[in-house]
Amino acid sequence: MSELIEVLTKDGSYSLRSLFFNENFHSLLGALEETKLKFTATSNLQRFKGKSLNVLDICFGLGYNSASLLNELIKQKSYLNLYALEIDKNPLEYSLRNESFLKLWAPKVKIIFESLYRKDYFEDQFFKCSILWGDAREKIKIIPSSFKFDLIYLDGFSPQKCPQVWTIEFLSKVTEKLNSQGYLITYSSSAAVRKTLRNLGLEIFTIKPSFKNRTFWSQGTVAIAKFDKNKFKPNLNFEKLSVMEEEHLLTKASIPYRDQNLNSSKHDIIKHRLKEQLLSNLVPTKKWREKWGMTKLALKS
Ligand SMILES: C[S@@+](CC[C@H](N)C(=O)[O-])C[C@H]1O[C@@H](n2cnc3c(N)ncnc32)[C@H](O)[C@@H]1O
């Protein structure tokens, strides 16, 4: 599973490519930039200044999302309970060897990552962090059911490459762990993922493309549990879905990924979805793409 190749992205930050999944860990435009724009800036971390929060990082990889989070929370003196899920130890081992990755963050991030690598655990006065190694579909069950998260980062490979972490059944387990008003944040703007999150009762938003990345119509999705607009703090990074995005959810692309017992192979999940798409009366995605002049590039996730 862990044939990995080093990739230097356009903002000068390092990432990896998985030969097993045949996909990069980050956008080639910039691993650091992707983490900051899609995950950190979207998290509204100022809400937790001097306070405590619980975060779940699914598909930890090199650890960019957790590192950037820790870096901000160190500055604003927040208290954090972090759980991370990851199947492969090699990306974290790579991060710990890569000086330019480590230099991006406060020195304490390296101490925490070393402890996660050696002991799967770190604890001090401010932070309590655990990493659970293995298939996220299994390991998520170990997190005590009473434990609820203010933020969940979902950063798996794309649904076509790693559908196991985008199914109704897995997303249902994930979203039941969200606190009321908690955010699930993902880079994916897949119609299947969005429709599933909406059907699970979450309010969904689109992460706006940055000025530099205007060729993309969205940078991902934020799904908020038990959304209450009176408690919601506006965030310039995300907004309601556009008409075009709403129409995407009416097409065959919105047919969900299914994994009834949370142990299906990638092949079976994709095969069953294709069958369901063939039998479906929903609008063919091609029609939607033609109507909105959509290119394949803009549809990656
Ligand atoms: C796109 S990369 C994650 C990028 C990451 N957030 C980072 O900062 O590097 C996807 C990660 O998901 C992990 N992964 C793939 N399938 C998994 C599974 N079933 N359970 C847990 N982790 C998985 C891969 O090993 C890989 O590290």
Side-chain angles (χ1 to χ4, degrees):
M1 179 162 297
S2 78
E3 273 185 86
L4 302 168
I5 297 175
E6 184 174 79
V7 175
L8 177 59
T9 67
K10 281 204 179 129
D11 68 359
S13 61
Y14 283 91
S15 181
L16 293 170
R17 177 173 181 80
S18 162
L19 295 183
F20 181 82
F21 287 97
N22 197 20
E23 199 162 81
N24 293 335
F25 278 49
H26 295 94
S27 151
L28 291 176
L29 295 174
L32 179 63
E33 184 172 305
E34 180 170 15
T35 291
K36 287 201 162 160
L37 290 176
K38 296 182 186 172
F39 292 91
T40 317
T42 305
S43 300
N44 267 357
L45 292 175
Q46 326 73 262
R47 297 177 286 164
F48 304 104
K49 200 168 179 182
K51 297 188 190 150
S52 159
L53 72 158
N54 298 339
V55 180
L56 173 62
D57 182 0
I58 304 175
C59 296
F60 179 89
L62 284 90
Y64 269 95
N65 298 336
S66 286
S68 177
L69 169 82
L70 289 162
N71 209 49
E72 292 308 308
L73 298 183
I74 290 168
K75 289 188 228 158
Q76 63 175 50
K77 295 198 167 37
S78 296
Y79 299 83
L80 169 72
N81 263 300
L82 173 76
Y83 272 97
L85 304 177
E86 172 56 54
I87 206 165
D88 184 4
K89 257 186 136 164
N90 288 293
L92 175 56
E93 188 183 313
Y94 167 84
S95 296
L96 286 168
R97 275 190 278 111
N98 185 320
E99 279 305 320
S100 56
F101 172 83
L102 295 170
K103 272 197 199 132
L104 296 170
W105 327 107
K108 187 171 169 183
V109 172
K110 179 181 177 189
I111 297 170
I112 297 172
F113 275 28
E114 273 171 345
S115 183
L116 288 177
Y117 184 72
R118 299 221 167 86
K119 300 192 276 192
D120 310 340
Y121 190 72
F122 172 86
E123 186 168 4
D124 74 357
Q125 181 201 348
F126 285 99
F127 301 149
K128 201 170 158 183
C129 312
S130 299
I131 190 157
L132 305 174
W133 299 108
D135 190 330
R137 296 177 293 179
E138 270 301 309
K139 296 299 167 182
I140 197 167
K141 297 176 192 160
I142 295 177
I143 302 171
S145 58
S146 57
F147 206 91
K148 301 286 179 203
F149 293 96
D150 302 295
L151 292 169
I152 297 182
Y153 296 155
L154 179 53
D155 201 11
F157 290 115
S158 64
Q160 280 298 311
K161 297 286 167 66
C162 186
Q164 297 92 318
V165 295
W166 306 100
T167 63
I168 299 186
E169 292 76 9
F170 183 66
L171 290 176
S172 159
K173 285 246 169 300
V174 169
T175 55
E176 72 192 27
K177 300 216 161 290
L178 271 175
N179 246 334
S180 158
Q181 312 309 311
Y183 296 5
L184 179 146
I185 303 175
T186 174
Y187 72 89
S188 175
S189 39
S190 135
V193 172
R194 286 181 165 178
K195 184 82 169 286
T196 299
L197 291 168
R198 182 176 275 173
N199 286 345
L200 288 167
L202 288 95
E203 188 82 12
I204 58 169
F205 298 87
T206 181
I207 303 178
K208 293 196 264 180
S210 68
F211 190 69
K212 279 194 266 172
N213 292 341
R214 275 179 304 174
T215 41
F216 297 98
W217 45 273
S218 170
Q219 299 264 65
T221 306
V222 181
I224 303 186
K226 303 201 175 67
F227 179 71
D228 177 347
K229 70 172 186 305
N230 299 314
K231 292 186 182 153
F232 176 62
K233 299 248 184 326
N235 182 313
L236 295 176
N237 245 33
F238 59 88
E239 62 189 5
K240 282 193 172 262
L241 268 55
S242 64
V243 175
M244 178 191 82
E245 290 172 286
E246 285 293 348
E247 287 187 10
H248 193 201
L249 305 195
L250 303 174
T251 69
K252 290 191 188 207
S254 71
I255 303 268
Y257 296 86
R258 299 180 194 275
D259 179 9
Q260 206 177 6
N261 300 313
L262 286 171
N263 59 8
S264 311
S265 65
K266 162 186 169 175
H267 176 78
D268 282 349
I269 300 171
I270 299 282
K271 190 177 78 187
H272 285 117
R273 178 167 181 263
L274 271 176
K275 218 171 174 183
E276 203 173 328
Q277 283 179 317
L278 277 175
L279 297 171
S280 157
N281 294 324
L282 292 177
V283 183
T285 315
K286 189 166 168 251
K287 281 206 166 155
W288 171 84
R289 225 180 276 139
E290 282 164 5
K291 173 173 174 185
W292 294 98
M294 201 59 66
T295 62
K296 280 273 181 199
L297 171 75
L299 272 171
K300 177 192 163 263
S301 56

